[in-house]
Amino acid sequence: MAKLIIAGGVALISILPFSYLSYISNVPQQALQAHYAKMQCIEFNRERAELHEFALNRFPNSITEQRLKPWQLLPVNWSYADFQQRCAGVSSSGLPDDYPKLSTIIGNTYLWQWVKTFLVRVAPLDPANDAVQQLHDSGNSPKSAGQLLGLSLRFLLPLLLFLMLWQLYVRRVLWQRLGYDSDFLRHIHRLCNQTQPVAAKRLVAGLHLQLTACPPAGVNLQTLLKHVQLADSGDSSNTLLQPGFKQLYRQSAILQHDDQLQLQNMSIMVQQSKAGGPLQVTLSQIDTCLDGPRRRQQLLALITEFKTLTLLGQLSEFNLVMGFNTLQRLTIKDDLAAAGERIMEQTEYLAWSECLLNFNVQLPATLAEPLDTDMLQQEINAYPLLGPLPVSTEQLNQQHAEPQPGIWRGNGGLSTRQWATLNFILQHADALYRYKWESCSNEEKLALFNLANGHQLNPLNCLMIEHLAINGLLRVNRGRLALVNRSFRQFVLNAEPSETLRQLVKVGEAGVWKNYRLTFAIVVIVIVGGIALTSGQSLHIVAASIAGVLGSIISVFSSGSTLRNYFKS
């Protein structure tokens, strides 16, 4: 019902300009005719003054003795009595220099004159044929209180109708797409707070992911597997097995199918505190195993099995050592990767991130930069799954002098400590954020990307917003939806290659208007161009008007951007 009322109101309001234009369509022509008529009378006054002066100079005696009019002694081609009758409403002493400009007369200078001319029409200009119109200066003066009341009703009623329809449109249509209901925001806020798990449920004490620039040396896994085969075949001369490796071999179903493994160059270290006790396993040099989907699948299966053995208590500790570039290949998508076996699919990113999110990340001590304590605590409080992070006392020491900020600080104005804090969090939470991102649908990814760029979501997509809140990826900030913290926003901005993000935005903008807006724009341009070309001199007026409107729009957007930056600062 509300939509029908809005549609009817919009149709009624759209008819009002046509009725108004029909109402005043003859005013410019009539104004010109009236102006020319009055100018003719003014010219008559000037010519009569010149003839009077000329007759007094040439025939002073005849005028004095015969009591004649000066114009009666001179040959003229017009009737004095006729002009005197037609110009009765014009002062006989008025000259061309005394007459105002046309813009003043038709109301471009004075508001009341404009209202009387284009709204009240108290003195309609309707000249008959070619006769000079009789004009009375008192004709456009304000009339009675009834006319003023009629003017008020004629002007205020459409305005009130427009305001009522605009309020109805804002409340029923616009606000539902641009604003969020307060009860809905409270519901989302509760979902965000009640569904945040603690970090202890994510991190496992015996799983460690050590990042290093140069992985340590170890014993080649393929070599150990061959020696196990020789030992099982009865060759007792082979004693090159590590202590505990045969026990690990018997516990691992994947290692027992060594004939299918293609994990070249991967090294393994096995340590055992006592015979028959739990093992400590370390895998390193896995870069070669990441080339090719089959090798990646086998490596993931082996890491997942060792992870499972750790959870079951068969392994006391499982360390996975890799370089920074190796972790980036597993958690960050390469924008310039060539087509081939090196490219990982979405399911692979999801599987790897799901496997690695339970590992405790350990960074080299040389990368222990001073951190921003307040920012670190805010990030963990907003997303408890991040903590507890292995932060040293030296990193939290606030006595270190903060470097002087530069003249230009872009990217949100972050300081050196804050940038170090963001990098520290992302190093520990890359797998977690990648798992959360890959678990989202394309629609949810587009929503997160829009939030990361400062845009808002359509309130009508309440189900999707609830899903994101349940996953802990949203928060309510001052009546607006925002990403859960700054580090996740930084991850979302770089989660996908630029081409993939553009494709997501393109698919998200698809719709009826998207499909037909080019055709509609061409039709509008043709219609406006046809009107402009067939309207003579008004083409320049139309072009100037369009330029003025565009300039005004640019000025408004510029002012809005300036105010927004001011409030942000």
Side-chain angles (χ1 to χ4, degrees):
M1 184 63 182
K3 293 183 179 179
L4 292 177
I5 295 176
I6 293 174
V10 171
L12 179 60
I13 292 177
S14 63
I15 293 175
L16 290 179
F18 293 99
S19 61
Y20 174 73
L21 291 175
S22 176
Y23 178 71
I24 64 167
S25 58
N26 295 328
V27 171
Q29 181 181 1
Q30 294 171 355
L32 283 175
Q33 291 177 353
H35 176 68
Y36 293 151
K38 200 162 189 178
M39 285 300 298
Q40 189 175 7
C41 295
I42 296 298
E43 288 294 332
F44 167 71
N45 290 340
R46 182 184 61 80
E47 187 174 354
R48 184 178 57 182
E50 293 178 354
L51 292 175
H52 185 78
E53 183 180 0
F54 183 78
L56 287 178
N57 291 333
R58 294 300 181 92
F59 313 109
N61 297 329
S62 299
I63 294 175
T64 303
E65 295 176 357
Q66 301 297 328
R67 303 290 183 177
L68 298 174
K69 299 293 184 181
W71 55 270
Q72 294 178 345
L73 300 176
L74 297 174
V76 293
N77 56 356
W78 41 264
S79 173
Y80 180 81
D82 186 18
F83 266 95
Q84 190 174 19
Q85 180 182 1
R86 286 185 292 178
C87 298
V90 181
S91 175
S92 60
S93 60
L95 296 177
D97 294 337
D98 303 327
Y99 192 64
K101 296 181 179 180
L102 179 60
S103 60
T104 303
I105 298 172
I106 65 176
N108 290 345
T109 306
Y110 303 104
L111 177 62
W112 178 247
Q113 184 71 21
W114 184 91
V115 172
K116 290 188 299 183
T117 303
F118 291 94
L119 291 180
V120 186
R121 299 283 296 277
V122 295
L125 307 175
D126 190 14
N129 300 328
D130 295 334
V132 180
Q133 177 186 359
Q134 290 201 12
L135 299 175
H136 301 278
D137 292 339
S138 60
N140 284 332
S141 60
K143 298 298 181 181
S144 62
Q147 290 181 337
L148 294 178
L149 180 61
L151 167 64
S152 302
L153 294 177
R154 188 183 301 172
F155 181 74
L156 293 179
L157 283 180
L159 180 60
L160 292 177
L161 178 62
F162 174 75
L163 293 178
M164 292 173 59
L165 292 174
W166 177 254
Q167 184 182 14
L168 184 63
Y169 171 73
V170 169
R171 294 182 60 184
R172 297 296 181 90
V173 179
L174 193 61
W175 181 248
Q176 293 184 2
R177 288 167 171 79
L178 298 181
Y180 303 96
D181 185 77
S182 57
D183 295 331
F184 178 72
L185 289 179
R186 282 193 291 268
H187 168 62
I188 296 300
H189 180 69
R190 291 175 181 174
L191 286 179
C192 296
N193 294 334
Q194 295 174 359
T195 58
Q196 287 284 9
V198 296
K201 297 182 179 180
R202 177 178 72 91
L203 300 176
V204 179
L207 300 177
H208 299 282
L209 178 60
Q210 300 178 6
L211 298 179
T212 178
C214 182
V219 181
N220 186 269
L221 178 62
Q222 297 286 349
T223 303
L224 291 177
L225 292 176
K226 291 181 180 179
H227 284 289
V228 169
Q229 293 177 356
L230 293 176
D232 292 341
S233 62
D235 189 358
S236 59
S237 61
N238 189 354
T239 58
L240 296 178
L241 292 177
Q242 288 185 356
F245 182 78
K246 194 167 185 179
Q247 178 182 344
L248 176 65
Y249 180 81
R250 293 172 180 173
Q251 293 174 348
S252 173
I254 295 179
L255 292 180
Q256 293 178 15
H257 295 80
D258 54 340
D259 54 336
Q260 300 178 0
L261 289 180
Q262 300 178 4
L263 304 179
Q264 293 83 2
N265 297 336
M266 188 175 72
S267 301
I268 186 171
M269 293 293 295
V270 180
Q271 297 179 354
Q272 190 175 27
S273 57
K274 61 180 181 178
L279 303 175
Q280 297 180 3
V281 179
T282 302
L283 290 181
S284 60
Q285 298 179 357
I286 63 173
D287 298 80
T288 309
C289 304
L290 296 178
D291 292 335
R294 179 174 177 80
R295 286 190 291 269
R296 286 196 299 266
Q297 184 178 4
Q298 293 178 352
L299 175 62
L300 178 61
L302 181 62
I303 295 176
T304 304
E305 186 181 47
F306 287 174
K307 174 183 173 182
T308 304
L309 293 177
T310 305
L311 294 175
L312 295 176
Q314 300 296 324
L315 301 181
S316 62
E317 185 175 341
F318 174 41
N319 298 318
L320 183 61
V321 183
M322 63 177 64
F324 291 96
N325 58 334
T326 307
L327 180 62
Q328 289 181 353
R329 290 180 61 181
L330 297 175
T331 58
I332 299 178
K333 296 185 178 180
D334 190 0
D335 198 0
L336 301 178
E341 294 185 349
R342 294 177 60 90
I343 299 180
M344 296 174 56
E345 301 293 336
Q346 178 182 355
T347 54
E348 289 189 86
Y349 280 107
L350 180 60
W352 276 102
S353 59
E354 185 178 10
C355 177
L356 298 178
L357 64 87
N358 301 117
F359 283 75
N360 295 272
V361 179
Q362 297 177 353
L363 298 177
T366 55
L367 295 181
E369 297 182 85
L371 305 179
D372 190 306
T373 307
D374 296 335
M375 182 178 180
L376 181 63
Q377 193 61 41
Q378 290 174 2
E379 294 286 300
I380 296 177
N381 292 339
Y383 200 41
L385 274 177
L386 290 177
L389 296 176
V391 185
S392 63
T393 306
E394 184 68 18
Q395 288 179 287
L396 298 179
N397 187 4
Q398 300 297 322
Q399 296 180 356
H400 294 286
E402 175 74 16
Q404 292 294 331
I407 299 177
W408 171 254
R409 296 177 66 180
N411 294 322
L414 297 179
S415 64
T416 304
R417 287 179 180 269
Q418 291 173 337
W419 275 116
T421 305
L422 273 184
N423 178 69
F424 178 79
I425 294 175
L426 289 176
Q427 292 288 355
H428 287 81
D430 263 340
L432 173 62
Y433 286 163
R434 175 57 61 183
Y435 172 72
K436 290 292 185 179
W437 174 262
E438 297 298 338
S439 301
C440 296
S441 63
N442 288 336
E443 184 182 10
E444 293 172 341
K445 289 180 180 179
L446 180 59
L448 295 175
F449 181 71
N450 288 332
L451 288 176
N453 285 280
H455 304 157
Q456 284 297 299
L457 306 182
N458 189 345
L460 297 180
N461 296 331
C462 55
L463 186 60
M464 181 192 66
I465 296 175
E466 289 175 343
H467 287 171
L468 293 176
I470 292 174
N471 290 329
L473 304 179
L474 295 182
R475 64 185 176 94
V476 180
N477 182 24
R478 298 180 181 179
R480 296 167 62 92
L481 295 178
L483 294 182
V484 62
N485 56 11
R486 190 187 291 264
S487 59
F488 183 64
R489 176 182 179 272
Q490 188 72 16
F491 172 84
V492 169
L493 292 176
N494 303 277
E496 296 284 347
S498 55
E499 183 62 30
T500 304
L501 293 175
R502 282 195 295 268
Q503 187 67 23
L504 281 177
V505 174
K506 183 179 180 180
V507 173
E509 292 179 350
V512 178
W513 168 247
K514 181 78 172 181
N515 297 333
Y516 294 101
R517 65 179 182 180
L518 179 60
T519 305
F520 180 77
I522 293 175
V523 172
V524 170
I525 292 174
V526 170
I527 293 175
V528 173
I531 294 175
L533 292 176
T534 57
S535 58
Q537 296 297 326
S538 62
L539 177 62
H540 304 287
I541 300 176
V542 172
S545 301
I546 294 176
V549 170
L550 292 178
S552 302
I553 294 175
I554 293 174
S555 177
V556 169
F557 277 104
S558 177
S559 301
S561 177
T562 303
L563 290 175
R564 182 174 59 186
N565 294 333
Y566 172 76
F567 286 120
K568 281 185 177 181
S569 62

